Amino acid sequence: EVQLVESGGGLVQPGGSLRLSCAASGFTFSSTDMTWVRQAPGKGLDWVANINRGGAGTVYQDSVKGRFTISRDNARNTLYLQMNSLKLEDTAVYYCATGSPWGGYTKLSPGTQVTVSS
């Protein structure tokens, strides 16, 4: 069974940092492109960052470029999202997903809340 479990969400002040982790199991993680997506209050799902299976290729939404870094550790079957210089508009539920925005997602994690507030 494919399982994705995130950790690391929480409440942070504007300008602060958080690191999300996503532990994967039940599939060949090292052969799977991965994406972080988010859903802000009252809005639909929006992809944030994508990383290819080897980890060398990354793509970011313009809104997070230069502030967020996606990475992965294939030996630990874990995906990461380092979020720096957080803004109020980054408040959302964050999900890790198998797949890509252009190829489609096959599995989403339960989601973790990130709240940026002063």
Side-chain angles (χ1 to χ4, degrees):
E1 179 189 359
V2 174
Q3 287 196 326
L4 300 170
V5 180
E6 319 99 326
S7 59
L11 174 64
V12 64
Q13 292 186 336
S17 297
L18 281 175
R19 187 172 88 150
L20 305 182
S21 299
C22 174
S25 62
F27 64 102
T28 307
F29 181 75
S30 59
S31 298
T32 305
D33 297 342
M34 298 292 295
T35 303
W36 285 100
V37 299
R38 67 186 179 186
Q39 186 167 26
K43 298 189 177 180
L45 276 177
D46 194 17
W47 74 275
V48 175
N50 169 266
I51 187 167
N52 70 359
R53 58 200 65 186
T58 57
V59 186
Y60 298 90
Q61 277 281 17
D62 286 346
S63 58
V64 306
K65 215 172 279 186
R67 301 187 298 120
F68 290 12
T69 302
I70 188 172
S71 62
R72 65 192 297 160
D73 184 338
N74 284 346
R76 297 178 183 268
N77 287 354
T78 304
L79 178 73
Y80 303 99
L81 184 69
Q82 177 67 43
M83 304 185 293
N84 298 329
S85 302
L86 282 159
K87 302 177 180 181
L88 298 175
E89 53 265 39
D90 294 318
T91 294
V93 177
Y94 284 72
Y95 306 86
C96 59
T98 54
S100 68
W102 33 91
Y105 309 120
T106 52
K107 178 75 174 181
L108 251 64
S109 62
T112 188
Q113 178 71 46
V114 171
T115 301
V116 184
S117 175
S118 54

